[in-house]
Amino acid sequence: MDPKILTLQQWIDESQNIVFFGGAGVSTESGIPDFRSVDGLYNQSYSYPPETILSSSFFSQNPAEFYRFYREKMLIQGAKPNAAHRKLAELEQAGKLKAVVTQNIDGLHQAAGSKAVYELHGSTLRNYCVRCKKKYPVSFLLETTGVPRCTETNCGAIVRPDVVLYEEGLDPDVISGAVNAIRNADMLIIGGTSLVVYPAAGLVNYYTGKKLVLINKSQTNMDSSADLAINAPIGQVFSQITVG
């Protein structure tokens, strides 16, 4: 076995308060494209850049175009948890992993069985009316066309995804929970993220321990700061880890 994998296994065995911080790379092995890879959304052609379409101002001014893009590119049907999601859930069930902090909005950590999940950017699985706050499942968006409207009598306001759009702030309660988890961790595993999306990426700075692990397919600017850096797909790495 690769010496780095052996070190990762040893540190996991020794630790009792692990926190995982993950990004889009965790879900690419489930068939969900990330934004910044060669095949990601930022490298495809649309009338507007994805950052523009997925912004609060664009949603307010052009909801029809927002939902055309959102339904086509953000609602990935049939995606299943991969080896990384499943291993993290297994580590939580064993009492070793205390929290998952994710930038992803696909709900795959919960689908794999993880309970303590801080979704920094919300979830595509949740939607709500902007006026009366009635909640709607993702199926409501998939079964409607155009701009989805609230079905409550005398309402009819727009139903929006419970995701953090560009220009919007992160949920302070989610941030607080994530910061506390990272601050108290005896091991922090960062996986599947290029650590360029702020303020989310800045949360890793709250970790002060000696077991900072960075697992990413390509190198990041933080590799040299990590106690252990592994450049490989995270599902491939985690599939080699055993939970005692």
Side-chain angles (χ1 to χ4, degrees), residues 129-134 136 149-158:
C129 171
V130 298
R131 181 183 298 150
C132 73
K133 308 306 179 186
K134 179 179 178 179
Y136 290 88
R149 297 282 178 176
C150 181
T151 59
E152 284 295 293
T153 305
N154 300 322
C155 186
I158 292 178

Side-chain angles (χ1 to χ4, degrees), residues 104-209:
N104 296 340
I105 56 177
D106 51 46
L108 289 180
H109 284 294
Q110 292 93 328
S114 290
K115 306 296 183 187
V117 181
Y118 293 101
E119 295 175 309
L120 298 176
H121 297 148
S123 173
T124 59
L125 304 185
R126 300 187 301 267
N127 306 274
Y128 64 92
C129 171
V130 298
R131 181 183 298 150
C132 73
K133 308 306 179 186
K134 179 179 178 179
K135 297 178 181 179
Y136 290 88
V138 67
S139 58
F140 179 77
L141 296 189
L142 294 169
E143 293 164 1
T144 55
T145 58
V147 180
R149 297 282 178 176
C150 181
T151 59
E152 284 295 293
T153 305
N154 300 322
C155 186
I158 292 178
V159 173
R160 67 156 283 175
D162 189 9
V163 298
V164 179
L165 301 176
Y166 287 96
E167 304 169 348
E168 295 179 337
L170 304 186
D171 186 308
D173 291 335
V174 175
I175 287 288
S176 176
V179 166
N180 286 334
I182 292 171
R183 185 180 279 143
N184 293 318
D186 59 5
M187 180 178 186
L188 177 63
I189 303 174
I190 302 171
T193 174
S194 52
L195 292 171
V196 297
V197 177
Y198 284 82
L203 298 183
V204 302
N205 295 324
Y206 287 96
Y207 178 69
T208 57

Side-chain angles (χ1 to χ4, degrees), residues 35 49-56 58 66 69-70 74 165-166:
F35 274 60
E51 316 101 299
T52 299
I53 299 175
L54 296 174
S55 68
S56 179
F58 190 92
F66 171 91
F69 175 89
Y70 187 82
M74 305 304 290
L165 301 176
Y166 287 96

Side-chain angles (χ1 to χ4, degrees), residues 3-43:
K4 289 188 175 182
I5 303 294
L6 288 172
T7 298
L8 176 62
Q9 179 72 67
Q10 179 184 343
W11 288 3
I12 289 175
D13 291 343
E14 294 171 350
S15 302
Q16 296 299 324
N17 197 343
I18 304 170
V19 170
F20 177 80
F21 180 96
V26 179
S27 292
T28 53
E29 291 172 78
S30 292
I32 296 179
D34 69 3
F35 274 60
R36 293 175 171 78
S37 69
V38 173
D39 301 315
L41 291 179
Y42 281 168
N43 292 288

